[in-house]
Coordinates of all heavy atoms in Angstrom, one line a residue:
M1037 N 9.3 17.9 4.3 CA 8.9 16.9 5.4 C 8.1 17.7 6.4 O 8.5 18.6 6.9 CB 10.3 16.5 6.0 CG 10.0 15.3 7.0 SD 11.5 14.9 7.8 CE 12.6 14.4 6.6
T1038 N 7.0 17.1 6.6 CA 6.1 17.5 7.6 C 6.3 16.9 8.9 O 6.4 15.8 9.1 CB 4.5 17.2 7.2 OG1 4.4 17.5 5.9 CG2 3.6 17.9 8.1
A1039 N 6.4 17.8 10.0 CA 6.7 17.4 11.3 C 5.6 16.5 11.9 O 4.4 16.8 11.6 CB 7.0 18.5 12.2
L1040 N 5.8 15.5 12.7 CA 4.8 14.8 13.3 C 4.2 15.4 14.5 O 5.0 15.9 15.2 CB 5.3 13.4 13.6 CG 5.8 12.4 12.6 CD1 6.1 11.1 13.2 CD2 4.6 12.3 11.5
T1041 N 3.0 15.2 14.9 CA 2.5 15.5 16.2 C 2.7 14.2 17.0 O 3.0 13.1 16.4 CB 1.0 15.8 16.2 OG1 0.3 14.7 15.7 CG2 0.7 17.1 15.3
C1042 N 2.6 14.3 18.3 CA 2.5 13.0 19.1 C 1.6 12.1 18.7 O 1.8 10.9 18.8 CB 2.5 13.5 20.6 SG 3.9 14.3 21.2
R1043 N 0.6 12.6 18.4 CA -0.6 11.7 18.0 C -0.3 10.9 16.7 O -0.5 9.7 16.6 CB -1.9 12.4 17.8 CG -3.1 11.7 17.5 CD -3.4 10.7 18.6 NE -4.6 9.9 18.4 CZ -5.8 10.2 18.9 NH1 -5.9 11.2 19.6 NH2 -6.8 9.3 18.6
D1044 N 0.3 11.7 15.7 CA 0.8 11.0 14.5 C 1.8 9.9 14.9 O 1.9 8.9 14.3 CB 1.4 11.9 13.6 CG 0.4 13.0 13.0 OD1 -0.8 12.6 13.0 OD2 0.7 14.0 12.7
F1045 N 2.8 10.3 15.7 CA 3.9 9.4 16.1 C 3.2 8.1 16.7 O 3.7 7.1 16.3 CB 4.6 10.1 17.3 CG 5.8 9.3 17.8 CD1 7.0 9.4 17.2 CD2 5.5 8.5 18.9 CE1 8.1 8.6 17.7 CE2 6.6 7.7 19.4 CZ 7.8 7.8 18.8
I1046 N 2.2 8.2 17.5 CA 1.7 7.0 18.2 C 1.0 6.2 17.1 O 1.0 4.9 17.2 CB 0.8 7.4 19.3 CG1 1.6 8.0 20.5 CG2 -0.2 6.2 19.8 CD1 0.8 8.7 21.6
D1047 N 0.4 6.8 16.1 CA -0.2 6.1 15.1 C 0.7 5.3 14.2 O 0.3 4.2 13.7 CB -1.0 7.1 14.2 CG -2.4 7.6 14.8 OD1 -2.9 6.9 15.7 OD2 -2.9 8.5 14.3
L1048 N 1.9 5.8 14.1 CA 2.9 5.1 13.4 C 3.8 4.1 14.2 O 4.4 3.3 13.6 CB 3.9 6.1 12.9 CG 3.5 7.1 11.8 CD1 4.6 8.1 11.4 CD2 2.9 6.4 10.6
L1049 N 3.5 4.1 15.5 CA 4.4 3.4 16.4 C 4.3 1.8 16.1 O 5.4 1.2 16.0 CB 3.9 3.6 17.7 CG 4.9 3.1 19.0 CD1 6.3 3.7 18.8 CD2 4.3 3.5 20.3
S1050 N 3.1 1.2 15.9 CA 3.0 -0.1 15.7 C 3.7 -0.6 14.3 O 4.4 -1.6 14.3 CB 1.5 -0.6 15.9 OG 0.9 0.0 14.8
A1051 N 3.5 0.3 13.3 CA 4.2 -0.1 12.1 C 5.7 0.0 12.2 O 6.4 -0.8 11.7 CB 3.6 1.0 11.0
H1052 N 6.2 1.0 13.1 CA 7.6 1.2 13.3 C 8.1 -0.1 13.8 O 9.1 -0.7 13.6 CB 7.9 2.3 14.1 CG 9.3 2.4 14.6 ND1 10.4 2.7 13.6 CD2 9.9 2.3 15.8 CE1 11.5 2.7 14.3 NE2 11.3 2.4 15.6
V1053 N 7.5 -0.5 15.0 CA 7.9 -1.7 15.8 C 7.8 -2.9 14.9 O 8.7 -3.8 14.9 CB 7.1 -1.9 17.0 CG1 7.5 -3.2 17.8 CG2 7.3 -0.7 18.0
A1054 N 6.9 -3.0 14.0 CA 6.8 -4.2 13.1 C 7.7 -4.0 11.8 O 7.8 -4.9 11.0 CB 5.3 -4.3 12.7
A1055 N 8.5 -3.0 11.9 CA 9.5 -2.8 10.8 C 8.7 -2.6 9.4 O 9.1 -2.9 8.3 CB 10.5 -3.8 10.8
E1056 N 7.6 -2.0 9.5 CA 6.6 -1.8 8.2 C 6.6 -0.4 7.8 O 5.8 0.0 6.9 CB 5.4 -2.3 8.6 CG 5.2 -3.8 8.6 CD 4.0 -4.4 9.1 OE1 3.1 -3.4 9.6 OE2 3.7 -5.6 9.1
L1057 N 7.3 0.5 8.5 CA 7.2 1.9 8.2 C 8.1 2.3 6.9 O 9.2 1.9 6.8 CB 7.8 2.7 9.4 CG 7.1 4.1 9.6 CD1 5.7 4.0 9.8 CD2 7.8 4.6 11.0
P1058 N 7.5 2.9 6.0 CA 8.2 3.3 4.7 C 9.5 4.3 5.1 O 9.2 5.0 6.2 CB 7.3 4.0 3.9 CG 6.0 3.7 4.3 CD 6.1 3.3 5.8
A1059 N 10.5 4.2 4.5 CA 11.7 5.0 4.8 C 11.4 6.5 4.9 O 11.8 7.2 5.9 CB 12.7 4.9 3.7
E1060 N 10.5 7.0 4.0 CA 10.2 8.4 4.1 C 9.4 8.8 5.5 O 9.8 9.8 6.1 CB 9.2 8.7 2.9 CG 8.7 10.1 2.8 CD 7.7 10.2 1.7 OE1 7.9 9.6 0.6 OE2 6.6 10.9 2.0
R1061 N 8.5 7.9 5.9 CA 7.9 8.1 7.2 C 8.9 7.8 8.5 O 8.8 8.5 9.4 CB 6.7 7.1 7.4 CG 5.7 7.4 6.2 CD 5.1 8.7 6.3 NE 4.0 8.8 7.3 CZ 3.5 9.9 8.0 NH1 4.1 11.1 7.5 NH2 2.6 10.0 8.8
L1062 N 9.7 6.8 8.2 CA 10.7 6.6 9.3 C 11.5 7.9 9.6 O 11.8 8.1 10.7 CB 11.7 5.4 8.8 CG 12.6 4.9 9.9 CD1 11.9 4.4 11.0 CD2 13.5 3.8 9.3
A1063 N 11.9 8.6 8.6 CA 12.7 9.8 8.8 C 11.9 10.8 9.6 O 12.6 11.4 10.6 CB 13.1 10.5 7.4
T1064 N 10.6 11.1 9.4 CA 9.8 12.0 10.2 C 9.6 11.4 11.6 O 9.6 12.1 12.6 CB 8.5 12.2 9.5 OG1 7.8 11.0 9.3 CG2 8.8 12.8 8.2
F1065 N 9.5 10.0 11.6 CA 9.4 9.3 12.9 C 10.5 9.6 13.8 O 10.5 10.0 15.0 CB 9.1 7.9 12.7 CG 8.8 7.0 13.9 CD1 7.6 6.8 14.1 CD2 9.8 6.5 14.6 CE1 7.2 5.9 15.3 CE2 9.6 5.7 15.7 CZ 8.2 5.4 16.0
E1066 N 11.7 9.4 13.2 CA 12.9 9.6 14.1 C 13.2 11.1 14.4 O 13.7 11.4 15.4 CB 14.1 8.9 13.3 CG 13.9 7.4 13.3 CD 15.1 6.7 12.7 OE1 15.9 7.3 11.9 OE2 15.2 5.5 13.0
A1067 N 12.8 12.0 13.5 CA 12.9 13.4 13.7 C 12.1 13.9 14.8 O 12.6 14.5 15.7 CB 12.6 14.2 12.4
H1068 N 10.9 13.2 15.0 CA 10.1 13.5 16.2 C 10.8 13.0 17.5 O 10.8 13.7 18.5 CB 8.7 12.9 16.0 CG 7.8 13.3 17.0 ND1 7.0 14.4 17.1 CD2 7.4 12.6 18.2 CE1 6.3 14.5 18.3 NE2 6.6 13.4 18.9
L1069 N 11.2 11.8 17.4 CA 11.9 11.1 18.5 C 13.0 12.0 19.1 O 13.2 12.3 20.2 CB 12.5 9.8 18.2 CG 11.7 8.6 18.4 CD1 12.4 7.4 18.1 CD2 11.1 8.4 19.9
A1070 N 13.8 12.7 18.2 CA 15.0 13.4 18.5 C 14.5 14.7 19.2 O 15.3 15.3 20.0 CB 15.6 13.9 17.3
Q1071 N 13.3 15.1 19.2 CA 12.9 16.3 19.8 C 11.8 16.2 20.8 O 11.3 17.1 21.4 CB 12.4 17.4 18.8 CG 11.1 17.0 18.0 CD 10.8 17.9 17.0 OE1 11.4 18.9 16.8 NE2 9.7 17.8 16.5
C1072 N 11.4 15.0 21.1 CA 10.3 14.7 21.9 C 10.5 13.6 23.0 O 10.3 12.4 22.7 CB 9.0 14.5 21.3 SG 7.6 14.3 22.2
P1073 N 11.1 14.0 24.1 CA 11.5 13.0 25.1 C 10.2 12.1 25.7 O 10.3 10.9 25.9 CB 12.0 13.8 26.4 CG 12.4 15.1 25.7 CD 11.4 15.2 24.7
A1074 N 9.0 12.7 25.7 CA 7.9 11.9 26.0 C 7.6 10.8 25.1 O 7.3 9.7 25.5 CB 6.7 12.9 26.0
C1075 N 7.8 11.0 23.8 CA 7.6 10.0 22.8 C 8.8 8.8 22.9 O 8.5 7.8 22.6 CB 7.5 10.5 21.5 SG 5.8 11.2 21.2
V1076 N 10.0 9.3 23.2 CA 11.1 8.4 23.5 C 10.7 7.4 24.7 O 10.8 6.0 24.5 CB 12.4 9.1 23.9 CG1 13.4 8.1 24.3 CG2 12.9 9.9 22.8
D1077 N 10.0 8.0 25.7 CA 9.7 7.2 26.8 C 8.4 6.1 26.4 O 8.5 5.0 26.7 CB 9.1 8.0 27.9 CG 10.3 8.7 28.7 OD1 11.4 8.4 28.6 OD2 9.9 9.6 29.5
Y1078 N 7.6 6.9 25.6 CA 6.5 5.9 25.0 C 6.9 4.8 24.2 O 6.4 3.7 24.4 CB 5.6 7.0 24.2 CG 4.2 6.3 24.0 CD1 3.2 6.5 24.7 CD2 4.1 5.4 22.8 CE1 2.0 5.8 24.5 CE2 2.9 4.8 22.6 CZ 1.8 5.0 23.5 OH 0.6 4.5 23.1
L1079 N 7.9 5.2 23.3 CA 8.4 4.0 22.5 C 9.0 2.9 23.3 O 8.8 1.7 23.1 CB 9.4 4.6 21.5 CG 10.1 3.6 20.6 CD1 9.0 2.9 19.8 CD2 11.2 4.4 19.7
Q1080 N 9.8 3.4 24.4 CA 10.4 2.3 25.2 C 9.4 1.5 25.9 O 9.5 0.3 26.0 CB 11.4 3.0 26.1 CG 12.4 2.0 27.0 CD 13.0 1.2 26.1 OE1 13.9 1.8 25.2 NE2 13.0 -0.1 26.2
T1081 N 8.4 2.2 26.4 CA 7.3 1.4 27.1 C 6.5 0.5 26.2 O 6.3 -0.7 26.6 CB 6.3 2.4 27.7 OG1 6.9 3.4 28.5 CG2 5.2 1.8 28.5
Y1082 N 6.4 0.9 25.0 CA 5.7 0.2 24.0 C 6.5 -1.2 23.7 O 6.0 -2.3 23.7 CB 5.5 0.9 22.7 CG 4.7 0.1 21.7 CD1 3.4 0.3 21.5 CD2 5.5 -0.6 20.8 CE1 2.8 -0.5 20.6 CE2 4.9 -1.5 19.7 CZ 3.4 -1.2 19.7 OH 2.7 -2.0 18.7
K1083 N 7.9 -0.9 23.5 CA 8.8 -2.1 23.3 C 8.7 -3.0 24.4 O 8.9 -4.2 24.3 CB 10.1 -1.6 22.9 CG 10.1 -0.9 21.5 CD 11.6 -0.6 21.2 CE 11.6 -0.2 19.7 NZ 13.0 0.3 19.3
D1084 N 8.9 -2.4 25.6 CA 8.9 -3.3 26.8 C 7.6 -4.1 26.9 O 7.7 -5.3 27.3 CB 9.0 -2.4 28.1 CG 10.4 -1.9 28.3 OD1 11.3 -2.2 27.5 OD2 10.5 -1.1 29.1
T1085 N 6.5 -3.5 26.5 CA 5.2 -4.2 26.6 C 5.1 -5.3 25.6 O 4.8 -6.5 25.9 CB 4.1 -3.2 26.3 OG1 4.1 -2.1 27.2 CG2 2.6 -3.9 26.5
V1086 N 5.6 -5.0 24.4 CA 5.8 -6.2 23.4 C 6.6 -7.3 23.9 O 6.3 -8.5 23.8 CB 6.2 -5.6 22.1 CG1 6.5 -6.7 21.0 CG2 5.1 -4.6 21.5
T1087 N 7.8 -7.1 24.4 CA 8.8 -8.0 24.9 C 8.2 -8.8 26.0 O 8.3 -9.9 26.1 CB 10.0 -7.2 25.4 OG1 10.5 -6.5 24.4 CG2 11.0 -8.3 25.9
L1088 N 7.5 -8.2 27.0 CA 6.9 -8.8 28.1 C 5.8 -9.7 27.6 O 5.5 -10.8 28.0 CB 6.2 -7.8 29.0 CG 7.3 -7.2 30.0 CD1 6.6 -6.0 30.8 CD2 7.8 -8.2 31.0
A1089 N 4.9 -9.1 26.7 CA 3.8 -9.9 26.1 C 4.3 -11.2 25.4 O 3.7 -12.3 25.6 CB 2.9 -9.1 25.3
K1090 N 5.3 -11.0 24.6 CA 5.8 -12.2 23.8 C 6.5 -13.2 24.8 O 6.4 -14.4 24.5 CB 6.8 -11.7 22.8 CG 6.0 -11.0 21.6 CD 7.1 -10.6 20.6 CE 6.1 -10.1 19.4 NZ 7.1 -9.4 18.3
G1091 N 7.2 -12.6 25.8 CA 7.9 -13.4 26.7 C 6.9 -14.3 27.6 O 7.2 -15.4 28.0
A1092 N 5.7 -13.7 27.7 CA 4.8 -14.6 28.6 C 4.1 -15.7 27.9 O 3.4 -16.6 28.6 CB 3.6 -13.4 29.1
F1093 N 4.2 -15.8 26.6 CA 3.5 -16.9 25.8 C 4.6 -17.3 24.9 O 5.5 -16.8 24.4 CB 2.4 -16.2 24.9 CG 1.4 -15.4 25.7 CD1 1.5 -14.1 25.7 CD2 0.6 -16.1 26.5 CE1 0.5 -13.2 26.5 CE2 -0.5 -15.3 27.3 CZ -0.5 -13.9 27.1
R1094 N 4.3 -18.7 24.7 CA 5.2 -19.4 23.8 C 4.9 -18.9 22.3 O 3.8 -18.8 21.8 CB 5.0 -20.9 23.8 CG 5.7 -21.4 25.0 CD 5.7 -23.0 25.0 NE 4.2 -23.3 25.1 CZ 3.7 -24.4 25.6 NH1 4.6 -25.4 25.8 NH2 2.4 -24.8 25.7
P1095 N 6.0 -18.5 21.5 CA 5.9 -18.0 20.2 C 5.2 -19.0 19.2 O 4.6 -18.6 18.2 CB 7.3 -17.6 19.8 CG 8.2 -18.5 20.7 CD 7.4 -18.7 21.9
D1096 N 5.2 -20.3 19.5 CA 4.6 -21.2 18.5 C 3.0 -21.5 18.8 O 2.4 -22.2 18.0 CB 5.3 -22.6 18.6 CG 5.3 -23.2 20.0 OD1 4.8 -22.5 21.0 OD2 5.6 -24.4 20.2
D1097 N 2.7 -20.7 19.8 CA 1.2 -20.8 20.0 C 0.5 -19.6 19.5 O 0.3 -18.5 20.2 CB 1.0 -20.9 21.6 CG -0.5 -21.3 21.8 OD1 -1.4 -20.8 21.2 OD2 -0.8 -22.0 22.8
S1098 N 0.0 -19.7 18.3 CA -0.5 -18.4 17.7 C -1.8 -18.0 18.4 O -2.1 -16.8 18.4 CB -1.0 -18.7 16.2 OG -1.9 -19.9 16.1
G1099 N -2.5 -18.8 18.9 CA -3.8 -18.4 19.7 C -3.3 -17.4 20.9 O -4.1 -16.3 21.1
Q1100 N -2.4 -17.8 21.5 CA -2.0 -17.0 22.8 C -1.2 -15.8 22.2 O -1.2 -14.7 23.0 CB -1.1 -17.7 23.7 CG -1.9 -18.9 24.3 CD -1.4 -19.3 25.8 OE1 -0.3 -19.4 25.8 NE2 -2.2 -19.8 26.5
A1101 N -0.5 -15.8 21.1 CA 0.1 -14.6 20.5 C -0.9 -13.6 20.2 O -0.8 -12.4 20.4 CB 1.0 -15.0 19.3
A1102 N -2.1 -14.0 19.8 CA -3.0 -13.1 19.4 C -3.7 -12.4 20.7 O -3.9 -11.2 20.7 CB -4.4 -13.9 18.7
V1103 N -3.7 -13.2 21.8 CA -4.0 -12.6 23.1 C -3.0 -11.5 23.4 O -3.4 -10.4 23.9 CB -4.1 -13.7 24.2 CG1 -4.2 -13.0 25.5 CG2 -5.3 -14.7 23.9
A1104 N -1.7 -11.8 23.3 CA -0.7 -10.9 23.5 C -0.9 -9.7 22.7 O -0.7 -8.6 23.2 CB 0.7 -11.5 23.2
D1105 N -1.2 -9.8 21.4 CA -1.4 -8.5 20.5 C -2.6 -7.8 21.2 O -2.5 -6.5 21.1 CB -1.7 -9.0 19.2 CG -0.4 -9.4 18.5 OD1 0.7 -9.2 19.0 OD2 -0.6 -10.0 17.4
A1106 N -3.6 -8.4 21.5 CA -4.7 -7.8 22.0 C -4.5 -7.0 23.3 O -4.9 -5.8 23.6 CB -5.9 -8.8 22.3
L1107 N -3.6 -7.5 24.3 CA -3.1 -6.8 25.4 C -2.3 -5.6 25.1 O -2.6 -4.5 25.7 CB -2.3 -7.9 26.1 CG -1.5 -7.4 27.4 CD1 -2.6 -6.9 28.5 CD2 -0.5 -8.2 28.0
V1108 N -1.4 -5.7 24.1 CA -0.7 -4.5 23.7 C -1.7 -3.4 23.2 O -1.6 -2.2 23.5 CB 0.3 -4.9 22.6 CG1 0.9 -3.5 21.9 CG2 1.4 -5.8 23.1
Q1109 N -2.7 -3.8 22.3 CA -3.6 -2.8 21.8 C -4.4 -2.2 22.9 O -4.7 -1.0 23.0 CB -4.5 -3.5 20.9 CG -3.9 -3.7 19.5 CD -3.3 -2.6 18.8 OE1 -3.9 -1.5 18.8 NE2 -2.2 -2.7 18.2
A1110 N -4.7 -3.0 23.9 CA -5.5 -2.5 25.1 C -4.7 -1.5 25.8 O -5.2 -0.4 26.3 CB -6.0 -3.6 25.9
I1111 N -3.4 -1.7 26.1 CA -2.6 -0.8 26.8 C -2.4 0.5 26.0 O -2.5 1.6 26.5 CB -1.2 -1.5 27.0 CG1 -1.4 -2.6 28.0 CG2 -0.2 -0.4 27.5 CD1 -0.2 -3.5 28.2
I1112 N -2.3 0.4 24.7 CA -2.1 1.6 23.8 C -3.4 2.4 23.9 O -3.2 3.6 24.1 CB -1.8 1.2 22.4 CG1 -0.3 0.5 22.3 CG2 -1.9 2.3 21.4 CD1 -0.1 -0.1 20.9
T1113 N -4.5 1.8 23.8 CA -5.8 2.5 23.8 C -6.0 3.1 25.2 O -6.3 4.3 25.2 CB -6.9 1.5 23.6 OG1 -6.7 0.9 22.3 CG2 -8.2 2.3 23.6
A1114 N -5.6 2.5 26.2 CA -5.8 3.1 27.6 C -4.7 4.3 27.7 O -5.2 5.4 28.2 CB -5.4 2.0 28.6
R1115 N -3.6 4.2 27.1 CA -2.7 5.3 27.3 C -3.1 6.6 26.3 O -2.9 7.8 26.8 CB -1.2 4.9 26.8 CG -0.6 3.9 27.9 CD 0.7 3.6 27.5 NE 1.7 4.6 27.5 CZ 2.6 4.9 28.6 NH1 2.6 4.1 29.5 NH2 3.4 5.9 28.4
R1116 N -3.7 6.3 25.3 CA -4.2 7.4 24.4 C -5.2 8.2 25.0 O -5.3 9.3 24.8 CB -4.8 6.8 23.2 CG -3.8 6.5 22.1 CD -4.4 6.0 20.8 NE -3.4 5.6 19.9 CZ -3.8 5.0 18.7 NH1 -5.0 4.8 18.5 NH2 -2.9 4.7 17.8
K1117 N -5.9 7.6 26.0 CA -7.2 8.3 26.6 C -6.8 9.3 27.6 O -7.5 10.0 28.2 CB -8.1 7.3 27.2 CG -9.0 6.7 26.0 CD -9.8 5.5 26.6 CE -10.5 4.9 25.5 NZ -11.3 3.6 26.0
R1118 N -5.4 9.1 28.1 CA -5.0 10.0 29.2 C -5.0 11.4 28.8 O -4.5 11.8 27.8 CB -3.5 9.6 29.6 CG -3.5 8.4 30.6 CD -2.3 8.3 31.3 NE -1.2 8.6 30.4 CZ 0.1 8.4 30.8 NH1 0.4 8.0 32.0 NH2 1.1 8.6 30.0
Ligands
ZN437 ZN1 5.9 13.3 20.8

């Protein structure tokens, strides 16, 4: 099993939240979480952002859901640049 870097972790994050991560990758993902408090915080922030974005829009309005996804992506991009 190859250890993840924080960058790899962030790349896998959206797949993880969407429950699309293969079991093999999930194990490395969780191993990284176990040893990296910064990524635990990052994951929590990500989930909070998704929750807030979804809560701000009605789920039956696909156009606005796309806006929410774009918002999440913009936040992720901004955080990566730090
Ligand atoms: Zn990390």
